[in-house]
Amino acid sequence: MAESTGASVSKEAVRDAIVAFLRDYSIESTPHDADRLDSFREVLAPGTAVYVAHPPGVELDVIVDLAARLQRMGYKAVPHLISRKMSSVAQLERALERLQAAGVDHALVLGGDIAVENAAFDSSLELLETGLLEKHGFRKVGVAGHPEGSKAIGEERVKQALEGKAAFAKRAPFEMRIVTQFGFDPEAFTSWEAETTAAGVTLPVHVGFPGPTSLKQLMRFAALCGIGSSTRMLMNRTGAMANLLRTQAPDEMITHIARHRLHNPASRLVKAHFFCFGGVVKTARWVNSVLAGQFELNSEATGFEVKG
């Protein structure tokens, strides 16, 4: 039986576990960042994996263009490819051709909550099975994980979809991983890891965290992503409405996962991925301060405060 994350360990061991977990983190950008990419150089080291989200109302070409620019800047661009937004196989192939020409060989393949009319694909698995990713030289591909479920898709369909993608991964000609939706309940993530492992899923997991931002912003994005139960937990912990404008950081969740990894060396929760609701630069500065050791654990070593 895995040792509890509450088991006694030294603060130094917890600090080291936090830094080890955050090392080589990835971060998510959006088309709104297109005019401020130069500021990324101040905080993101070359080779950092920078995901390119595909929000509603944005054309796929815009995502491809931004991914190509990030790749030219020396980052590992990871564009989102949303299956149900593809109007045709030809549209997907054109995008992959352009990404390949730009040197992009990483992607995150998602199903998507909202489908275009007459979508070419009904699921991310259908897109994966086209053979087009390997044809165009993609080496590493992420798929979605939902430790707290998905209101838009439903629990049973989420479970079946993950198991289907895990089965595909065993024969895939590229390396695959799971990248989770962000959340606020770390125990939901560790329980989900145990449940999916028991179901035969062996893919490594990059855990999604919200970067530091206001509670008001977190609540808005959590509602959009359908993680209400986790949101209620966040509200209870932070004193609810009185703290709407106060910056919330994911220190407690990171610490819990780091302690879990410390006691469970074979954990599939291997890396951290940050959603930047407060901005890429703000999030990266916060993470970089932690990596530099500029943080102080609380008395119980269950959370920390960044000093940098």
Side-chain angles (χ1 to χ4, degrees):
M1 180 179 291
E3 187 178 0
S4 166
T5 55
S8 178
V9 291
S10 70
K11 279 194 170 185
E12 195 59 36
V14 175
R15 286 180 62 89
D16 290 346
I18 289 169
V19 172
F21 178 50
L22 295 187
R23 195 172 291 125
D24 195 27
Y25 69 93
S26 58
I27 200 161
E28 188 161 293
S29 65
T30 75
H32 297 296
D33 296 310
D35 293 334
R36 42 183 178 263
L37 294 190
D38 286 345
S39 65
F40 287 17
R41 298 184 192 277
E42 302 170 13
V43 292
L44 296 177
T48 299
V50 182
Y51 287 57
V52 183
H54 189 171
V58 175
E59 295 295 326
L60 180 57
D61 284 345
V62 173
I63 306 306
V64 172
D65 289 342
L66 182 54
R69 288 179 61 191
L70 288 164
Q71 191 75 19
R72 288 194 297 269
M73 291 173 68
Y75 299 117
K76 289 184 291 190
V78 189
H80 288 197
L81 299 174
I82 302 182
S83 306
R84 298 186 190 98
K85 282 189 176 182
M86 300 289 173
S87 58
S88 67
V89 174
Q91 181 193 30
L92 170 63
E93 183 143 35
R94 284 194 301 271
L96 295 179
E97 286 172 351
R98 291 185 57 210
L99 290 167
Q100 183 179 29
V104 176
D105 58 7
H106 292 49
L108 178 64
V109 176
L110 306 170
D113 295 342
I114 302 173
V116 298
E117 188 175 357
N118 299 317
F121 308 103
D122 184 53
S123 69
S124 55
L125 183 57
E126 286 186 11
L127 191 155
L128 291 167
E129 289 178 333
T130 62
L132 291 176
L133 288 163
E134 54 265 39
K135 175 183 175 181
H136 293 287
F138 281 75
R139 297 186 305 108
K140 295 187 177 183
V141 176
V143 293
H146 298 86
E148 298 181 13
S150 171
K151 186 177 180 181
I153 303 171
E155 184 176 344
E156 187 58 32
R157 189 172 180 185
V158 164
K159 180 176 180 291
Q160 292 174 354
L162 180 59
E163 291 177 359
K165 289 178 285 191
F168 172 83
K170 293 177 181 178
R171 62 180 189 277
F174 39 70
E175 183 180 323
M176 289 181 64
R177 62 181 178 270
I178 296 170
V179 184
T180 77
Q181 179 57 274
F182 73 95
F184 311 114
D185 181 0
E187 292 186 1
F189 281 68
T190 53
S191 296
W192 172 86
E193 177 196 11
E195 291 165 5
T196 55
T197 300
V201 179
T202 59
L203 290 171
V205 178
H206 294 198
V207 181
F209 297 97
T213 189
S214 70
L215 179 58
K216 183 177 181 180
Q217 277 280 79
L218 286 181
M219 295 287 291
R220 184 166 74 88
F221 282 102
L224 289 172
C225 296
I227 51 175
S229 60
S230 185
T231 305
R232 287 190 290 274
M233 176 183 175
L234 178 69
M235 291 288 285
N236 290 336
R237 194 181 72 224
T238 57
M241 305 303 289
N243 287 323
L244 274 181
L245 299 180
R246 178 182 172 187
T247 295
Q248 304 295 324
D251 58 291
E252 291 184 11
M253 185 166 171
I254 288 171
T255 305
H256 187 102
I257 300 294
R259 292 180 68 116
H260 170 78
R261 282 167 36 86
L262 188 62
H263 296 304
N264 300 277
S267 173
R268 292 166 43 232
L269 309 181
V270 295
K271 288 188 181 180
H273 175 68
F274 287 91
F275 294 79
C276 302
F277 307 131
V280 170
V281 171
K282 180 178 180 178
T283 297
R285 282 180 174 153
W286 186 88
V287 181
N288 293 344
S289 294
V290 179
L291 289 171
Q294 298 171 354
F295 67 99
E296 183 176 329
L297 287 167
N298 62 24
S299 58
E300 298 83 17
T302 57
F304 58 85
E305 183 179 353
V306 168
K307 299 297 185 181

